[in-house]
Amino acid sequence: MNRPLRALAMAVSLSLLTLQLTACGASSAFEPCIPPEATAAGGSELAGVYRGKHDAEGVTLTLSLTPGQNGGTLTAENWPTGNYYRAELGATFKGSGTWEIDTPSNPKDHPLVHLYFTQPHDWMSGDTIDRLSVAMDSTKTVLYENSDPDTCPDFRLDLTKTD
């Protein structure tokens, strides 16, 4: 194979590999696994019922908006239990509490949904997944654990029904 053809073949292979990595397991190699990370999000945009995918399979999170606030109440089913409570509650739990949007002060940062579980009992921050990043576009809203921004998130919840 001559040099220009070899360079072209290498560029095409690299392009296909890049597309596969950014697709994050999506149905199409040209479709990202989640929408772009939100630069702003309001409580009314986020209220609704979320269903889990991948590591969050079987998880349901319902966010209800409290009028006049940028958050409200939450209920969760099959939510992952943090290591501290695993012996007491098992691998997952059914819980409730409140939620709010942490609006960043730095314009380069992105909003987070902060979950405060009060049932089955108060949780310390970090004892379970309690901060979720927001990805959205005109057709889809996703809450996800952003443990590694360079990979497609394994723990993600898709908005299936608005409040």
Side-chain angles (χ1 to χ4, degrees):
M1 185 181 294
N2 66 29
R3 185 171 281 177
L5 284 177
R6 194 173 325 155
L8 178 62
M10 197 169 189
V12 169
S13 296
L14 185 58
S15 295
L16 288 174
L17 177 63
T18 302
L19 283 174
Q20 288 174 344
L21 291 175
T22 59
C24 304
S27 59
S28 165
F30 300 106
E31 178 184 334
C33 66
I34 60 172
E37 191 167 16
T39 55
S44 61
E45 295 172 290
L46 299 178
V49 178
Y50 293 81
R51 303 265 185 241
K53 289 195 168 182
H54 299 282
D55 285 356
E57 189 71 37
V59 172
T60 302
L61 176 66
T62 303
L63 302 179
S64 298
L65 185 62
T66 301
Q69 295 187 13
N70 210 16
T73 59
L74 73 87
T75 58
E77 293 187 33
N78 296 316
W79 199 260
T81 307
N83 292 337
Y84 186 77
Y85 293 104
R86 191 151 296 176
E88 177 187 344
L89 298 174
T92 64
F93 68 95
K94 180 178 180 178
S96 61
T98 61
W99 67 281
E100 69 181 6
I101 300 171
D102 289 343
T103 306
S105 56
N106 184 341
K108 293 181 181 182
D109 292 336
H110 300 277
L112 295 172
V113 174
H114 193 156
L115 310 176
Y116 301 94
F117 289 99
T118 55
Q119 293 297 320
H121 46 70
D122 285 335
W123 294 76
M124 297 291 289
S125 183
D127 284 340
T128 186
I129 296 172
D130 59 4
R131 290 183 192 266
L132 298 168
S133 295
V134 179
M136 62 174 45
D137 60 21
S138 62
T139 62
K140 191 173 186 176
T141 300
V142 178
L143 300 180
Y144 63 99
E145 182 183 30
N146 194 5
S147 56
D148 182 353
D150 294 329
T151 63
C152 188
D154 288 328
F155 188 91
R156 59 185 190 253
L157 304 154
D158 289 351
L159 179 64
T160 59
K161 182 172 76 171
T162 57
D163 243 3

